[in-house]
Structure formats: structure tokens, C-alpha cells
Amino acid sequence: PNWVSSNLDPKKNKSVAMFCTGGIRCEKATSHLLNQGFENVYHLKGGILNYLKEVPSSQSLWDGECYVFDERVSVNHNLQMGSFEKCRACRRPISEADKKHDMFEEGVSCPQCYNQYSEEQKKRFRHRNKLVKMAKARGDTHLGSDARPKKMRKLREQELGKLADLTPDMAIAEKKKDSGDAKSSI
């Protein structure tokens, strides 16, 4: 909203076209722009990901990879994992060229964030990276729900399965009963 009010004028910019990764942000922005008086507002329905899915690469105008907000980091036109990875320190995308840079250290820094962290922070990042590698060598995942011991994951899945069969009101009551809260959920 602030960028629009600072950079666009519905009297001068009658038409606005935009795109985003999955389409949700553009849908919200379209509504905002129409409410601000813009007459012709267009967005790529379903975002870039839908475009890549629906338009054959031979007919596509898309060039390069698309940044995504998950561990794939980027996807190519076939929606397969792209060539970028994520810096484990700053979480920014990094290319093969970034990984060859003197300032890149796996799990610790990349050329974009090398000077942002203290030596103490880098020491912690190195330790974390060591733990990640140890877990991988064991065939485990270091962080996240997949990292939980199998027994705990199975219990959690059973618990979630029970809740899936409940209506929202029943789930609240069940949760309160499990936590020992005797108050009514109504």
C-alpha cells in the first residue's frame, strides 16, 4: 500500500499489470488497487507457478528460474528444483558461482552475508552445520518434524488423526480435556 501511494497515481497510471509467485499477493494487491481508483488492474492468475504449469515451455515467455518459498529455493519451467540453493546463514538464494566465492562457507556464510555475522555467530553456524552433517550421515534430518524420533512422530500422527475426525468445537473441547482445563469451550 505505501509503495503504491508513493509511486503510482490512478489518474496517470490507469492500467497496472503485475505477477507474483503463486498469485495470492497479486489478488490482494489487485483488490487494493481497484479500491484506490485504478481502472484496469491485471495480474497473472495463479501466479508464475501456474503459468509454468499450464504453458508449454516451447510457447512460454518465461526465462530463467522462479524463486519459491520452500526448500527447493527455485524451480525451472518444469516445476522441478532449480539450480539455486539456500545460504543456511542468511536464507538468501545462492548460485554455483556464489559457492565458489572466497566468502562462501557451507552452512556459515555466503558473499551476500559474510560481513553481517560476528565470529561468535559463525562459530555457532559451524557447529550447527556439523550437527546437520552428522544427522545426514545417520540417515536422519537435523531439524523439523522429520527429525523427531520415529516413536514420537507416530504418536503425533495418531493424535492428529484423532483431531481430523472432530468438528472444530469438539477439537477445542478435546484439547481442553487433554490439557486438564475443566472450563467449557462455549
Side-chain angles (χ1 to χ4, degrees), residues 34-135:
L34 290 170
N35 287 333
Q36 297 300 309
F38 292 87
E39 293 177 14
N40 303 307
V41 182
Y42 306 94
H43 70 268
L44 189 58
K45 186 176 181 181
I48 298 164
L49 295 179
N50 189 56
Y51 177 84
L52 297 176
K53 178 181 172 189
E54 297 298 326
V55 177
S57 56
S58 61
Q59 298 172 12
S60 175
L61 298 175
W62 185 261
D63 184 26
E65 297 179 8
C66 177
Y67 178 80
V68 291
F69 301 93
D70 59 35
E71 287 301 311
R72 295 174 296 173
V73 184
S74 68
V75 294
N76 61 25
H77 199 287
N78 297 320
L79 299 176
Q80 296 169 338
M81 185 184 288
S83 62
F84 287 83
E85 292 182 29
K86 189 183 297 184
C87 172
R88 296 297 167 189
C90 67
R91 306 287 188 222
R92 292 183 185 120
I94 53 173
S95 66
E96 287 300 317
D98 291 328
K99 293 193 293 185
K100 292 177 182 167
H101 198 282
D102 290 344
M103 293 180 178
F104 175 76
E105 183 179 345
E106 184 183 358
V108 179
S109 66
C110 72
Q112 300 173 74
C113 72
Y114 181 81
N115 293 316
Q116 292 179 355
Y117 300 107
S118 69
E119 281 307 313
E120 184 62 32
Q121 288 171 307
K122 289 179 183 180
K123 182 179 174 183
R124 286 196 329 266
F125 296 163
R126 285 182 189 98
H127 180 69
R128 176 190 61 203
N129 198 49
K130 180 181 173 183
L131 295 175
V132 168
K133 287 180 177 184
M134 288 170 54

Side-chain angles (χ1 to χ4, degrees), residues 138-151:
R138 290 190 311 265
D140 289 337
T141 304
H142 176 60
L143 293 173
S145 61
D146 290 340
R148 293 184 185 135
K150 288 181 182 176
K151 185 175 181 181

Side-chain angles (χ1 to χ4, degrees), residues 4 8 10 13-18 26-43:
V4 170
L8 297 177
N13 311 102
K14 296 207 181 288
S15 297
V16 178
M18 65 188 117
C26 285
E27 286 181 20
K28 291 179 178 186
T30 296
S31 176
H32 174 72
L33 290 170
L34 290 170
N35 287 333
Q36 297 300 309
F38 292 87
E39 293 177 14
N40 303 307
V41 182
Y42 306 94
H43 70 268

